[in-house]
Amino acid sequence: GCASTGRPEDARSEILRLDAEWSRVAAEGRDVDRAVSFWSDDAVVMAPASAPIVGRAAIREFVAQSFRTSGFHISWKTATVVVARGGDMAYSTGTNRVEVNGADGRPIVIPGKSVAVWRREKGGAWKCVVDIWNDSPGPETRAAASVQFPGRMD
């Protein structure tokens, strides 16, 4: 495509398409490099109860560790995408679902909510530059608090 900013609705559609593909790749839990490719080189990931994870190398290690965690599975659904008037930045909000095995080996599902900031790069591709999510309240979240997996440093 061309380097012009285009219409906000086109940007919104492209981000929704990318985000759905990203969720699918992450849910498969196999291709670390493909999963990491949706973030910018300078991205910041703010996982629950974790110090910020800054830059592609650190994010790649976080994703690799997550994929290796017993019972780990993640998926998300983006509900809204708002594109800035300039057409080069956007944010999205949605819900997610993380699954890990508890100490007893049984799966624990942790529902969450998320915000992502997207930036259009020089070549025109949209990349996630800030990715933050946190747990939704409920009994599952309390049960999951004891589970150690990447990003959970409490």
Side-chain angles (χ1 to χ4, degrees):
C2 64
S4 77
T5 52
R7 302 177 317 169
E9 51 274 24
D10 294 341
R12 191 175 301 113
S13 298
E14 175 65 4
I15 291 167
L16 283 168
R17 184 192 68 74
L18 280 170
D19 200 53
E21 182 184 346
W22 189 11
S23 180
R24 182 184 55 74
V25 169
E28 288 170 358
R30 287 192 301 269
D31 191 340
V32 172
D33 290 323
R34 183 83 185 102
V36 173
S37 73
F38 293 88
W39 282 289
S40 65
D41 289 340
D42 61 343
V44 177
V45 171
M46 297 183 205
S50 169
I53 303 155
V54 182
R56 188 164 292 198
I59 292 169
R60 189 186 189 290
E61 183 53 33
F62 170 75
V63 171
Q65 283 181 28
S66 296
F67 284 1
R68 287 193 301 266
T69 299
S70 177
F72 177 84
H73 182 80
I74 188 169
S75 61
W76 62 88
K77 182 78 180 121
T78 295
T80 62
V81 175
V82 178
V83 180
R85 200 173 292 120
D88 59 347
M89 296 287 292
Y91 70 86
S92 60
T93 61
T95 55
N96 62 18
R97 186 186 136 104
V98 175
E99 211 172 296
V100 289
N101 287 343
D104 60 2
R106 293 187 15 214
I108 298 171
V109 174
I110 312 161
K113 50 210 179 302
S114 62
V115 174
V117 178
W118 295 82
R119 179 179 67 209
R120 191 190 297 268
E121 305 286 79
K122 282 192 182 80
W126 285 95
K127 297 286 182 179
C128 180
V129 291
V130 179
D131 190 5
I132 182 168
W133 67 97
N134 53 46
D135 303 342
S136 294
E140 310 88 350
T141 304
R142 284 192 296 281
S146 63
V147 177
Q148 290 302 309
F149 65 96
R152 219 176 247 285
M153 310 298 183
D154 39 80

